[in-house]
Amino acid sequence: MTWRRPHGWVIVLIILVSATWVVLTETRKSAELTALPDELRYTSVHVAPGAERIFDAERARRIIGDRPIAVIVGERTGMCADFADILPGVIVLWVNDVPRMPIKTCDGGSPYYERNLTATAREAVTLLDTDHDWTVHVEEYVRAFDAHVAETFPGTPPPARGPPRPANDGAVEKIVLVMSAAMGVVLLVVVAFLVREVWSLAEYVLRRRRDWRARTNARLNRLADRVLRLTEPGSTSTRRAATAKGYVLLLQAFESATNEAQRFAVDEQLRELEWQAGIPLPEDRAARRPPAP
């Protein structure tokens, strides 16, 4: 059976790696979301450890009131979108010390969301001390938010934050557990498939080498018989010496051939000597050569 290079397992590996990345991402996100259930589900401010010295959480909560705004301070920027996913109708305000972008917002589906408000708030704090007090970012954003609501929704009472979604009931963990088990099965199947393919490839290579050596050895024996016949009357000494020398060198190359390039060189030299010795060649090569002298 001719071995064929596998392609299906490459696709399976790509799917497996992608699924692994998704599961790990969801697991990390689930762990982060469940680690802060009370601070952002039922209050408006979460401050990461170490950021308390430059952010007054209680003051920020008083400024925000019951507006649909939640603030995360000192966390990685990806958590802005993560928490916007679980806080319906809430604008998540991310505050940090990143140059040129100390604040950003993520929309949780609030009708009062306006992207340009963050730029307005950033411009408003340019002359304020934000190195030692990040709370001013919240003040300016709330001021811009109120102005936007008053202008866009005149006569509408200030919007209040809606009820939070139910706390995580472990559904994500159950899904992750099922997906992990399924991925384990898929991984075992892929490993078994790879082992089978590697074994098939090794068998194919060894069988091809054995077949080549057997076939070439038979041709060398036939060439040796023809070289001996060149000593008969009618054969020129020059032709006899050249063919005999070539045979000896070819035999040495055959015994030392260990890779495809060396085996190919042996085949070419053998064809040349067979032609010189008058051994019939395959039709495709014989048609391109003049008859042997």
Side-chain angles (χ1 to χ4, degrees):
M1 181 181 66
T2 302
W3 179 84
R4 294 178 298 178
R5 180 178 299 176
H7 297 286
W9 66 267
V10 176
I11 300 176
V12 172
L13 279 181
I14 293 175
I15 296 175
L16 181 63
V17 171
S18 302
T20 303
W21 180 83
V22 171
V23 169
L24 292 179
T25 301
E26 291 301 320
T27 303
R28 174 190 56 76
K29 183 186 297 185
S30 175
E32 290 176 346
L33 298 184
T34 55
L36 308 169
D38 296 332
E39 288 187 292
L40 284 183
R41 289 180 183 275
Y42 302 103
T43 69
S44 55
V45 177
H46 161 68
V47 183
E52 302 92 340
R53 57 185 178 81
I54 51 178
F55 190 88
D56 189 340
E58 290 303 322
R59 176 182 156 203
R61 291 188 180 99
R62 290 194 300 270
I63 294 171
I64 295 171
D66 61 354
R67 295 175 180 83
I69 299 174
V71 179
I72 56 175
V73 183
E75 295 286 3
R76 62 178 184 83
T77 181
M79 290 187 67
C80 181
D82 291 345
F83 282 98
D85 291 339
I86 65 167
L87 297 173
V90 175
I91 300 172
V92 178
L93 178 65
W94 173 82
V95 182
N96 213 320
D97 59 349
V98 177
R100 298 185 180 182
M101 194 181 68
I103 64 173
K104 67 176 287 188
T105 53
C106 298
D107 183 21
S110 172
Y112 305 100
Y113 176 76
E114 172 57 46
R115 184 184 298 273
N116 294 331
L117 295 184
T118 54
T120 303
R122 282 197 294 263
E123 293 177 1
V125 300
T126 53
L127 299 179
L128 301 177
D129 181 15
T130 57
D131 292 335
H132 301 88
D133 184 13
W134 289 357
T135 317
V136 295
H137 290 297
V138 177
E139 290 180 329
E140 296 303 328
Y141 184 84
V142 169
R143 185 176 290 110
F145 175 82
D146 289 344
H148 165 70
V149 171
E151 178 182 357
T152 309
F153 306 94
T156 303
R161 176 174 173 174
R165 291 180 182 173
N168 186 9
D169 59 357
V172 175
E173 286 76 7
K174 294 176 183 177
I175 295 175
V176 170
L177 181 62
V178 173
M179 292 185 64
S180 300
M183 286 172 52
V185 175
V186 173
L187 181 60
L188 290 176
V189 172
V190 171
V191 170
F193 182 81
L194 289 177
V195 170
R196 188 191 68 176
E197 291 295 330
V198 172
W199 185 266
S200 298
L201 175 60
E203 287 186 335
Y204 168 77
V205 172
L206 292 176
R207 183 171 60 252
R208 184 177 178 183
R209 289 180 181 178
R210 288 195 300 267
D211 293 345
W212 177 82
R213 295 194 69 86
R215 183 174 60 253
T216 305
N217 189 61
R219 293 172 62 188
L220 285 171
N221 291 335
R222 183 172 55 181
L223 177 62
D225 182 66
R226 184 57 61 93
V227 169
L228 292 176
R229 293 182 182 180
L230 291 178
T231 59
E232 298 175 355
S235 299
T236 63
S237 59
T238 303
R239 177 187 174 191
R240 183 168 59 249
T243 306
K245 180 179 179 181
Y247 175 80
V248 173
L249 296 176
L250 177 60
L251 190 60
Q252 295 174 352
F254 169 72
E255 295 296 338
S256 61
T258 58
N259 54 52
E260 285 294 326
Q262 294 174 343
R263 285 190 285 270
F264 179 80
V266 168
D267 287 337
E268 290 297 312
Q269 296 175 28
L270 181 55
R271 290 190 185 97
E272 185 68 25
L273 288 178
E274 286 175 337
W275 174 74
Q276 293 178 6
I279 298 176
L281 300 177
E283 294 182 359
D284 59 333
R285 295 193 60 84
R288 296 196 298 266
R289 290 183 179 275

